[in-house]
Amino acid sequence: SGKQLLSRFHGCLVGAVLGDCLGSPFEGSDCVTYDEVERISLNMGKSTRSSRHRFTDDTAMTRSLAASLIEHNGFNAKDMATRFTDEFFRDSARGYGYNVTTVFQAWKDETYDDVFQPAREQFQGSGSYGNGGAMRIAPVPLFGYNFTEAKLQELAEQTTLLTHTHPDALSGAILQSFAIHQALHETSEVLDTQKFLDGLIEKMNKVEDNSEGVSRRPKRPSEEEPHPYCFKLEKIKEFLTKDEADTRDVVYELGTDVSALGSVPTAVFAFLWCHKERKGLEKWSPFEQTIIHSISLGGDTDTIASMAGAIAGAYYGIEAIPWEWQSQCEGVADAKKYAEDILKIVQSNVTAE
Ligand code: F2R
Ligand code: MG
Ligand code: MG
Ligand code: MG
């Protein structure tokens, strides 16, 4: 029904904002205890609420991406680039990636003929493999709610290529789009997590068969794999067969860094892992567990919690997100408005067909 869909659209974009806001105090730290997350991010044990949590670059770019899709009823490269740039120069203290700002500067200087050119030149032509494409992608699977797999992939690629051209960055943004899309369409109350992963593996196999074989720096075994995302999705399947997972193993196998390959699968893992009640998190709901557990893994906490929050919000809906958390985070009301505007377009495009 329409109402249920609105709840999922709200949940997705609000979940993304919350993960970013609540995760950002820990960005770059090692593993974090659940107690610390509660004390610092959730302001537990305080009688009065302290200052609200600010959102970071993840949400700033998600908002620009959403606004551009809404304004143009689809992808407009120049407009999206302009919105990213205007927002960056309006408020650059949001913790942006160190290299993506070069792209914003080039767009501002207009020293290019083609809006996609500055991103291609990053890192001596190999392109950024950062998670910046994936971290802002949530509006794409909402806008593409009725899209085919191929059309959804295309829109994810277009929006990512503006800043990130490395195959790992593109595949990461595509995986995050597929994960949100599957979560939005998932109707069973008890999720079959292995089936959810099989769906992603089937789609990512096609993506990785066709992606350019750019050499990756050898670091973890998975990065030498021809299908590194499928390799990690298989690892997630293994983790999910166990009752407990050592955080160090999760971090080693999946990663918690600013690369797309070292963070998008981790977000998918956090969502699926937290569908069941987990040790130490018994008092929290599955959505709440997802955010807290994502942050506890450390590393790129704002981004991993934001991506996991978007998937979880798309599945559980806005009712699952505590008002107390919503009221502590900057940008929640705007996220709801973007979700409503995108849903209106989705519904009017159906009627128009
Ligand atoms: N930048 C951060 N966090 C660090 C500082 C935040 C701090 N709290 C503060 O307030 O200052 N977080 C944000 O960045 C990530 C998204 O990054 P994005 O948009 O992908 O940027 P970029 O610059 O393209 O890539 C990030 C870094 O990855 C490395 N890298 C990427 N491609 C590479 C390549 N081909 N070769 C070598 N290195 C590559 C570089 O170190 C890039 O700087 C999110 O976490 C967001 O929250
Ligand atoms: Mg950030
Ligand atoms: Mg290949
Ligand atoms: Mg981050």
Side-chain angles (χ1 to χ4, degrees):
S1 74
K3 191 176 173 217
Q4 204 194 339
L5 199 52
L6 180 59
S7 166
R8 285 168 179 265
F9 274 50
H10 275 158
C12 177
L13 293 191
V14 172
V17 172
L18 253 58
D20 181 19
C21 289
L22 300 175
S24 70
F26 295 101
E27 194 182 22
S29 36
D30 283 333
C31 310
V32 186
T33 64
Y34 294 149
D35 282 349
E36 264 183 287
V37 178
E38 290 180 23
R39 195 168 52 79
I40 294 170
S41 291
L42 306 177
N43 290 321
M44 299 290 284
K46 288 186 187 166
S47 53
T48 55
R49 210 167 59 223
S50 65
S51 64
R52 290 207 306 172
H53 295 283
R54 267 167 62 84
F55 63 72
T56 76
D57 59 322
D58 305 52
T59 300
M61 296 195 81
T62 304
R63 290 155 62 102
S64 297
L65 194 152
S68 185
L69 288 179
I70 293 163
E71 183 64 30
H72 292 274
N73 191 1
F75 181 64
N76 180 309
K78 180 93 196 207
D79 177 74
M80 201 173 279
T82 304
R83 285 173 195 270
F84 288 155
T85 308
D86 289 349
E87 171 56 31
F88 174 72
F89 285 101
R90 202 179 59 75
D91 189 355
S92 59
R94 292 275 185 188
Y96 284 85
Y98 295 119
N99 291 79
V100 72
T101 57
T102 313
V103 177
F104 301 143
Q105 189 63 53
W107 283 337
K108 195 186 180 202
D109 298 343
E110 295 202 61
T111 52
Y112 53 86
D113 299 317
D114 169 5
V115 76
F116 293 98
Q117 189 55 29
R120 282 190 210 110
E121 289 169 7
Q122 294 283 80
F123 300 98
Q124 286 88 42
S126 64
S128 173
Y129 53 61
N131 55 23
M135 77 181 182
R136 63 177 185 243
I137 209 73
V140 165
L142 297 183
F143 188 85
Y145 179 77
N146 290 316
F147 280 12
T148 61
E149 214 175 299
K151 224 176 143 194
L152 183 59
Q153 178 177 336
E154 191 193 356
L155 185 58
E157 279 172 350
Q158 287 171 320
T159 66
T160 300
L161 280 168
L162 282 171
T163 52
H164 294 66
T165 64
H166 192 287
D168 283 2
L170 291 166
S171 297
I174 295 164
L175 171 58
Q176 175 65 5
S177 295
F178 286 155
I180 293 173
H181 198 255
Q182 276 189 203
L184 286 172
H185 286 269
E186 181 65 60
T187 50
S188 37
E189 243 172 75
V190 179
L191 198 59
D192 183 337
T193 56
Q194 298 283 325
K195 211 177 116 198
F196 191 91
L197 284 164
D198 285 337
L200 291 178
I201 288 167
E202 195 194 321
K203 292 174 194 135
M204 290 308 293
N205 242 321
K206 287 186 244 168
V207 172
E208 295 195 304
D209 273 344
N210 297 321
S211 88
E212 309 281 329
V214 167
S215 64
R216 303 182 174 85
R217 3 142 252 174
K219 196 170 131 207
R220 286 180 302 269
S222 59
E223 289 185 89
E224 291 154 12
E225 291 292 317
H227 291 80
Y229 281 96
C230 289
F231 182 88
K232 288 199 168 184
L233 292 167
E234 294 288 352
K235 286 278 175 206
I236 299 173
K237 284 181 85 170
E238 279 175 43
F239 278 121
L240 287 168
T241 61
K242 300 172 197 152
D243 288 328
E244 284 185 44
D246 190 314
T247 292
R248 283 164 305 185
D249 292 341
V250 173
V251 172
Y252 177 77
E253 297 289 354
L254 303 179
T256 51
D257 56 59
V258 296
S259 71
L261 183 57
S263 58
V264 181
T266 315
V268 173
F269 164 79
F271 162 62
L272 295 173
W273 182 252
C274 295
H275 187 54
K276 273 211 315 213
E277 186 178 280
R278 293 299 174 184
K279 208 174 135 199
L281 292 172
E282 294 84 356
K283 69 174 177 213
W284 302 105
S285 73
F287 176 88
E288 295 162 334
Q289 288 196 127
T290 305
I291 298 289
I292 298 168
H293 186 70
S294 297
I295 297 171
S296 78
L297 298 172
D300 196 356
T301 48
D302 62 334
T303 304
I304 295 170
S306 179
M307 294 190 296
I311 307 168
Y315 176 70
Y316 298 112
I318 192 72
E319 294 80 11
I321 306 182
W323 176 246
E324 187 60 25
W325 291 21
Q326 294 185 41
S327 65
Q328 287 181 28
C329 297
E330 179 195 13
V332 168
D334 289 341
K336 288 181 182 168
K337 181 74 169 75
Y338 286 125
E340 287 157 27
D341 289 347
I342 296 172
L343 183 57
K344 272 185 211 141
I345 294 176
V346 167
Q347 290 173 333
S348 67
N349 285 352
V350 166
T351 320
E353 270 161 22

